[in-house]
Structure formats: structure tokens, C-alpha cells
Amino acid sequence: MNKLIAMLLLAFVGLSACANKLPSKEEIMDKMVLTNAYLMKKWPDPGVNVITNRERPSNLWTRAVYYEGLMALYALNPDQKYYDYAVTWGEAHNWGLRNGVETRHADNHCAGQTYLDLYEMDAQPERIRDIKASIDLMMETEKIDDWDWIDALQMAMPVFAKLSVITGDQSYSQRMYDMYMDTKVAQGLWNPEDQLWWRDKDFLPPYQEPNGEDCYWSRGNGWVVAALVRVLEILPEDDPHRDEYQNTLLQMLEALVPLQREDGFWSVSLHDPSHFEGPETSGTALFVYGMAWCVNQGLLKEKKYKPIITKAWNAMVNDAVHPNGFLGYLQGTGKEPKDGQPVTYTSKPDFEDYGLGCFLLAGSEVYRMAK
């Protein structure tokens, strides 16, 4: 009996050690390839319309976020089929935007992120035509309050930043800053006290979660983390507003540290984990993406943040990724903790693609951290 107990204790210690250790690069890549293969198999033709509660073209924001992740995977694993899959998607839509070039909606601009990435790889003018035309129409006006929900920052800010770099015209990056600051300050969606963002005006005080705390939606704050990371990656070091983006990102990540759950995930409601309690993959992945990127850039101390990142990454790959690559614990589309519920290991969200995009973005930076 004593021998059996000793063996069980050793096994438990071994499992705990594995849970606290960052996997190898090969293991991380295997999970990225597995989850991506699941979606590519499910959608062999990336141009077909997406049908959920209604039919939508596949250049909508959910699929565009997936392609952000695919481009991050391709940068580490330049498999031709990944590039071809992205190009086929762009060609299927004639490199156009949902609702046309007249759209000012950030969700519709999100596809432009991958169009611009592919343009940089192969400067075919049609790849940049519509996204540039749409942003140029916005630039012809003085209106800067379009981004009245924080998800918009991730969907559109990288487009403005990339256009600024590609064209050499800093008016794009300046307009991006003006719109970002309108969201942050004029609309008041940033709370400097808690260093987190309210999703939109519907959640400004006196709105409260059941426990009396402010409502900070996990994925919404994750979108802002991703927006700031991607903008910092794109902009030159001498951009006049770089400090604003970097400081806000670091403040957010610091605020997220004590909010991590014991199981490694973050809850859908950051300040009220009992409100629709349980793990959630998309917000967790976006926080991992931001933290790992900052560690890799020397902006955060590895000694402090690597255990947090490791715990979260291992939680996702061990508890959320199914053997076939399906991602569990993924909240469906919405704007607050109650949307897309229930969120479980086997629950299927209305859209699966954006969750995979978040996971691939996280994996790309965790991969760079691994030895």
C-alpha cells in the first residue's frame, strides 16, 4: 500500500511539473497545426457564405480574425497551403469589404488586415484597392467617433497603422490615434482606476455585475490587448504616440495578473468570476498573446509573467483543445458575459473561426518564448 501511495504521489508531482512547464516549440506548433487543420477541413472553400442564424459573406469580422491568426502561423510555419488558403479567400471576395468601400464600420475593415499582409508579400494593386479606398473616404471627413465599442480597436486600428507604413503617409496613423483617443477619453470607455475597458456605453456606471463590481468583459478587453500589440508591431519606433499605446497595454496586463483563475483561464466577467463562471478560451488566448509578446519584446519581466503565460497556455491546450482540433470553452459572439452561454468544453459557439484566430495569435508568441 505504501508503495502504491508513493507511486501516485510521484505521478501527481510529475503532472504538476508538466502543468507548470512551457511545452517545447514542437509541441506548441503541433497544437497550432492541429487546431488550424480542423477549420480548414471544415471550410475547404474559404469563399463560401457562412450560415448561422442567417447567411453572411465569409469576409465578415469573425473570419477576418481567423486570418490574422493564420498569417501569424504562416510566419512561423510557411506552408504553401496556408498562403494559398488566405489568397483564395481574398480572391473569392475580389479583395472587397463587406458592405463595400463606403463602409465606416470597423468590423467590415478587419478583412483588410490580411489583405494588407498579403499585399506586402506580393504587391498586387487589387489587394490594397478597396481597403485603402474605404479608409480614404473616412479620412475625407472630420468624424472620429466611429469606434464606440472596444472590439472596434482590434478590428480597424491595425489597418490604419499598416496603411501608414505601406504608403509612408503618417496621416493614417494620426487619424488612428485621434479615433482611439476618442474611444478612450471622449467616450470614456477606459477606466484608469481599474486599468480596464468598459465594452461600450451600455456598461458605464452605474451598470454593475451581480456582485456590485463594474462589468469588464474578458474578450472585449482581449480585443484591446490585441489591437495594441498589433499596432506596436506595425508602427515605427519613432511614432509620436507609441508611448500611449505601450503604456496602456502594460497597465492592462498588470491589472489582469490577479484576475487569472486557479485553472489558468480568465473568466468571461473579469471582476465577477461567479457571473457565468467557468473557463473561457478567447479572452484567455488574447491575454496570453499580449503578455507573451511583451515578454518577447523585453517590455515585461519573464520571471514574473512566464509562469502566468505557461499556466494559461497549458490550460488551453490541455482543457480546451479537443483531439480533433475543435476548441472548447469558446464564448459565442456578443458583447457581455451572458452572451453565447453556456460555455463548456463541448459547447459549440455560433462562430468558431475568431476563437481559433485568437488561439493562433497566442500560440505564435508562446512559440517564440519556448526554448
Side-chain angles (χ1 to χ4, degrees), residues 50-124:
V50 180
I51 302 175
T52 53
N53 60 325
R54 59 189 176 90
E55 190 168 350
R56 298 174 176 87
S58 72
N59 58 352
L60 79 167
W61 72 265
T62 67
R63 190 61 55 85
V65 171
Y66 159 69
Y67 279 101
E68 293 178 53
L70 181 64
M71 290 293 97
L73 172 59
Y74 179 71
L76 300 173
N77 183 355
D79 190 319
Q80 185 66 34
K81 67 175 176 283
Y82 299 154
Y83 176 83
D84 292 344
Y85 195 63
V87 170
T88 300
W89 175 66
E91 290 176 341
H93 298 288
N94 195 26
W95 305 98
L97 308 175
R98 188 181 182 200
N99 296 330
V101 296
E102 294 83 7
T103 185
R104 298 180 64 98
H105 202 289
D107 286 355
N108 298 331
H109 288 145
C110 193
Q113 294 192 45
T114 297
Y115 296 170
L116 292 166
D117 285 345
L118 293 169
Y119 174 83
E120 288 187 307
M121 297 176 192
D122 183 0
Q124 297 185 29

Side-chain angles (χ1 to χ4, degrees), residues 12-270:
F12 177 77
V13 170
L15 287 171
S16 297
C18 289
N20 295 324
K21 181 182 178 183
L22 197 65
S24 67
K25 285 183 179 291
E26 182 180 9
E27 291 171 307
I28 294 166
M29 180 56 66
D30 285 347
K31 291 298 183 183
M32 295 173 72
V33 169
L34 171 70
T35 52
N36 185 68
Y38 168 84
L39 188 131
M40 287 181 65
K41 181 178 179 181
K42 183 172 181 177
W43 298 93
D45 179 355
V48 300
N49 287 353
V50 180
I51 302 175
T52 53
N53 60 325
R54 59 189 176 90
E55 190 168 350
R56 298 174 176 87
S58 72
N59 58 352
L60 79 167
W61 72 265
T62 67
R63 190 61 55 85
V65 171
Y66 159 69
Y67 279 101
E68 293 178 53
L70 181 64
M71 290 293 97
L73 172 59
Y74 179 71
L76 300 173
N77 183 355
D79 190 319
Q80 185 66 34
K81 67 175 176 283
Y82 299 154
Y83 176 83
D84 292 344
Y85 195 63
V87 170
T88 300
W89 175 66
E91 290 176 341
H93 298 288
N94 195 26
W95 305 98
L97 308 175
R98 188 181 182 200
N99 296 330
V101 296
E102 294 83 7
T103 185
R104 298 180 64 98
H105 202 289
D107 286 355
N108 298 331
H109 288 145
C110 193
Q113 294 192 45
T114 297
Y115 296 170
L116 292 166
D117 285 345
L118 293 169
Y119 174 83
E120 288 187 307
M121 297 176 192
D122 183 0
Q124 297 185 29
E126 64 270 21
R127 296 183 178 185
I128 199 174
R129 178 195 61 226
D130 283 18
I131 185 58
K132 184 176 182 300
S134 185
I135 302 303
D136 286 348
L137 285 173
M138 292 182 72
M139 299 280 288
E140 290 176 5
T141 75
E142 299 299 319
K143 181 174 167 59
I144 61 170
D145 60 354
D146 294 87
W147 299 341
D148 56 9
W149 77 110
I150 59 175
D151 315 29
L153 302 182
Q154 195 286 142
M155 304 300 158
M157 283 181 71
V159 169
F160 282 77
K162 185 77 79 171
L163 281 171
S164 180
V165 170
I166 288 175
T167 65
D169 185 348
Q170 293 187 11
S171 65
Y172 291 109
S173 56
Q174 181 60 45
R175 175 58 66 92
M176 173 183 71
Y177 174 77
D178 294 340
M179 295 181 71
Y180 159 83
M181 290 302 291
D182 181 84
T183 305
K184 183 180 184 180
V185 179
Q187 298 184 48
L189 298 186
W190 164 253
N191 184 353
E193 182 179 346
D194 290 332
Q195 299 181 333
L196 294 169
W197 297 70
W198 293 291
R199 197 271 181 177
D200 58 48
K201 64 180 177 59
D202 292 344
F203 301 97
L204 294 173
Y207 186 95
Q208 292 181 338
E209 289 287 75
N211 70 349
E213 291 280 344
D214 284 2
C215 179
Y216 300 117
W217 181 43
S218 179
R219 188 165 68 235
N221 278 271
W223 289 136
V224 182
V225 167
L228 297 174
V229 167
R230 291 178 66 75
V231 164
L232 288 167
E233 273 190 316
I234 295 166
L235 292 177
E237 290 292 329
D238 62 355
D239 183 88
H241 307 302
R242 190 175 185 89
D243 285 349
E244 159 61 33
Y245 304 134
Q246 182 173 301
N247 291 339
T248 301
L249 174 61
L250 295 178
Q251 288 170 6
M252 290 184 70
L253 297 179
E254 179 69 23
L256 289 165
V257 170
L259 305 181
Q260 187 178 29
R261 298 160 48 92
E262 275 299 314
D263 59 17
F265 289 88
W266 277 265
S267 301
V268 291
S269 179
L270 293 173

Side-chain angles (χ1 to χ4, degrees), residues 275-331:
H275 192 211
F276 295 97
E277 60 186 335
E280 202 285 308
T281 300
S282 63
T284 298
L286 292 167
F287 299 152
V288 168
Y289 174 51
M291 290 180 181
W293 185 84
C294 285
V295 169
N296 290 337
Q297 298 297 314
L299 299 176
L300 290 176
K301 292 182 179 180
E302 182 173 345
K303 183 177 181 181
K304 176 179 179 178
Y305 280 88
K306 186 174 181 180
I308 298 166
I309 294 164
T310 299
K311 187 176 183 179
W313 177 257
N314 287 338
M316 288 191 292
V317 299
N318 294 329
D319 299 337
V321 177
H322 288 229
N324 68 347
F326 173 79
L327 277 177
Y329 296 113
L330 177 61
Q331 185 183 16

